[in-house]
């Protein structure tokens, strides 16, 4: 998926996608020339990594 597809899927802005990519905080991505693409498996894995069970703890706590 492209950046706009990712933003729509996550309910975020394309600017958020750019910032997250620059900061290394978003899903893994692939650069194809000047184009950025996201694999669905990488997006789903990133979502799972963000899963929380408490607002006070880290991932999986």
């Amino acid at each position: 998926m492209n950046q706009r597809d990712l933003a729509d899927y996550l309910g975020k802005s394309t600017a958020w996608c750019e910032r997250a990519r620059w900061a290394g905080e978003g899903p893994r991505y692939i650069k194809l020339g000047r184009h950025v693409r996201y694999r669905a498996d990488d997006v789903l894995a990133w979502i799972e990594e963000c899963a929380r069970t408490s607002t006070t703890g880290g991932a999986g706590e």
Side-chain angles (χ1 to χ4, degrees):
M1 64 181 73
N2 63 29
Q3 182 172 284
R4 185 176 305 265
D5 296 333
L6 177 68
D8 289 344
Y9 183 76
L10 296 177
K12 304 277 190 180
S13 68
T14 56
W16 177 90
C17 296
E18 291 171 5
R19 283 192 305 271
R21 190 171 61 248
W22 181 82
E25 298 173 352
R28 289 178 55 180
Y29 64 93
I30 299 168
K31 278 286 271 197
L32 301 170
R34 53 180 235 182
H35 301 283
V36 174
R37 297 293 183 261
Y38 298 88
R39 292 184 293 204
D41 288 344
D42 290 334
V43 173
L44 294 175
W46 176 77
I47 290 171
E48 281 299 313
E49 290 172 11
C50 293
R52 303 283 192 263
T53 58
S54 170
T55 59
T56 59
E61 290 183 0

